[in-house]
Amino acid sequence: MKTAVLGFGTVGVGVYEMLAKARGLEPGPVLVRPGKEDAPYKVSSMEAIVNDPSVEAVAEVMGGIEPAYTYACAALKAGKHFVTSNKALVAAKGVELNRLAREKGAAFLFSAACGGGVPFLHNLALARESDSILSLGGILNGTTNYMLDAMQRLGLDYAEALADAQRLGYAEADPTADVSGLDALRKIMLACAVAYDLLPTEGLLHEGIDSITAADVRHFQPRGYSCRLLASGGRTESGVYAYVEPVLLREGAPACSVLQNYNMARYEGRNSGPIVLMGQGAGRYPTASAVLRDLSGILRGERYLFSTGCAAGKADNSGSVHCYYVRLPADLAGELEAESTELAGPVARLVTKPMSVSAMHETARRLRARGAALFFAAIGG
């Protein structure tokens, strides 16, 4: 199956290299920017790919919503199978692309968009056919896991950990999507859509690691806690919950053993119980291997990760309740009902009484609007 590749960056190079060696697959044209056509297989026109009858599939690894969405529609309308690692594209346009692919009899697969080389969505799609998925989530962003690990095991401050991640290629020049939790949020959106036939596009909440400091680490670590950025999703009576936030876990919890830039994705089936998958969540070859996994799946007859009835909907996080560890200005400590409070000059560190995820995120939003610098993390098991 000749496959065109859209984009020739880090992952695109890996996909093209692997296509030449994969059983049943072969590399086709590669779409690059105008002026970058420095080899016979490189083209700068999507029309050249769409109008090439020898190209049966298109693998998109460009990133971003546009022009990726326009290119995806063009490929599917031409009856070509479409595979992508682009989580932003699927989170924003996945329902539309799923519908179009089914209308045209073409495949639409994107397991590389969540977990990189970790076959999370692939296994989740298989599990939903015979089991009821009770919950899902985990460590779904390798950049933030690397940074938190560096701050806690190596004693780096936030700026040092970020610079280290950028030097190693784990963080982009603009790391906002990673450190804000948006990247992990997009992944939990896709997981909910695969497991529950509902792609949550409203009511979503995400808190990243951009407000954690070395002083926070020095405070909670001696008390037996380790911090990880966790995505959480699951079924509610009316739909799903879906959110991302830092979580303080007791040392010895499984997630605490996930070091460096690794991911740990999990789901729990009513019949299977907890299932945990761990591996490289990003990088040239881990992500390219997931793209090739989907292409090979097409050869075996696999076509879709979303069901026919998958639709956009709203997440409800009001039923998810935790106690929270919060660091904030001392004069604002009274804004939260606390189980315990420690004051150190102008800074208060407290543990809240149980409160909903929605209430905690809204309180943080409101206090930050008043200029308060704060860090919060759910207290897990």
Side-chain angles (χ1 to χ4, degrees):
M1 182 171 70
K2 183 179 283 189
T3 301
V5 180
L6 309 187
F8 206 55
T10 299
V11 177
V13 170
V15 170
Y16 190 80
E17 290 178 0
M18 293 179 67
L19 279 169
K21 303 172 184 177
R23 184 181 303 170
L25 300 171
E26 63 175 298
V30 175
L31 183 69
V32 296
R33 293 187 180 93
K36 299 292 185 179
E37 312 97 320
D38 54 6
Y41 60 87
K42 294 182 181 180
V43 300
S44 59
S45 166
M46 185 62 187
E47 287 72 22
I49 293 172
V50 170
N51 296 327
D52 185 342
S54 71
V55 173
E56 299 177 71
V58 173
E60 183 270 316
V61 290
M62 302 167 57
I65 298 172
E66 284 293 356
Y69 178 60
T70 298
Y71 293 164
C73 290
L76 290 170
K77 287 176 181 177
K80 301 183 189 299
H81 305 305
F82 186 77
V83 170
T84 180
S85 63
N86 188 341
K87 67 192 76 68
L89 171 66
V90 184
K93 300 292 186 178
V95 171
E96 294 89 335
L97 292 175
N98 183 58
R99 185 182 303 120
L100 178 59
R102 289 175 179 275
E103 288 175 0
K104 299 300 180 180
F108 171 48
L109 297 175
F110 49 86
S111 72
C114 181
V118 180
F120 181 39
L121 296 184
H122 178 80
N123 282 275
L124 197 58
L126 294 174
R128 74 172 181 213
E129 297 301 319
S130 58
D131 206 350
S132 176
I133 308 301
L134 303 178
S135 65
L136 43 80
I139 298 171
L140 301 182
N141 182 272
T143 300
T144 51
N145 201 64
Y146 178 86
M147 292 174 61
L148 288 171
D149 184 39
M151 293 180 72
Q152 291 169 102
R153 283 199 304 132
L154 305 180
L156 274 60
D157 64 26
Y158 179 88
E160 290 171 328
L162 175 57
D164 212 19
Q166 289 173 322
R167 178 181 59 83
L168 292 168
Y170 299 151
E172 302 286 345
D174 179 0
T176 304
D178 290 321
V179 300
S180 71
L182 178 58
D183 177 84
L185 184 72
R186 287 168 172 161
K187 293 171 181 175
I188 203 68
M189 291 166 66
L190 304 191
C192 284
V194 170
Y196 306 120
D197 295 336
L198 190 151
L199 178 66
T201 56
E202 299 179 68
L204 299 155
L205 297 172
H206 65 97
E207 174 75 7
I209 66 164
D210 41 356
S211 59
I212 193 172
T213 66
D216 295 325
V217 173
R218 289 193 297 270
H219 186 266
F220 63 67
Q221 262 194 320
R223 290 161 174 78
Y225 285 105
S226 184
C227 185
R228 292 293 184 269
L229 185 69
L230 299 184
S232 299
R235 176 74 78 183
T236 67
E237 289 186 5
S238 59
V240 300
Y241 63 87
Y243 61 90
V244 174
E245 61 188 8
V247 179
L248 295 189
L249 300 162
R250 284 292 181 188
E251 293 178 1
C256 295
S257 65
V258 183
L259 308 178
Q260 298 186 339
N261 66 324
Y262 275 69
N263 280 199
M264 186 187 79
R266 61 156 190 88
Y267 66 87
E268 182 175 357
R270 188 178 301 280
N271 299 314
S272 69
I275 301 294
V276 177
L277 302 164
M278 182 174 165
Q280 289 279 357
R284 171 173 292 174
Y285 294 111
T287 304
S289 72
V291 172
L292 269 289
R293 181 176 62 224
D294 281 347
L295 291 168
S296 295
I298 291 171
L299 294 177
R300 296 192 303 271
E302 296 175 17
R303 291 294 181 267
Y304 311 106
L305 286 169
F306 286 170
S307 70
T308 306
C310 184
K314 185 175 183 178
D316 180 3
N317 295 304
S318 61
S320 299
V321 175
H322 313 287
C323 294
Y324 284 90
Y325 172 98
V326 185
R327 180 258 301 151
L328 75 171
D331 60 348
L332 296 177
E335 298 284 337
L336 290 156
E337 291 189 63
E339 296 278 5
S340 63
T341 303
E342 293 182 34
L343 296 174
V347 175
R349 299 179 188 275
L350 55 87
V351 174
T352 71
K353 292 184 177 181
M355 60 191 300
S356 71
V357 171
S358 298
M360 182 66 246
H361 285 245
E362 171 57 26
T363 299
R365 185 203 63 77
R366 178 169 48 81
L367 294 179
R368 284 168 175 158
R370 292 165 57 182
L374 63 87
F375 164 72
F376 72 85
I379 298 179

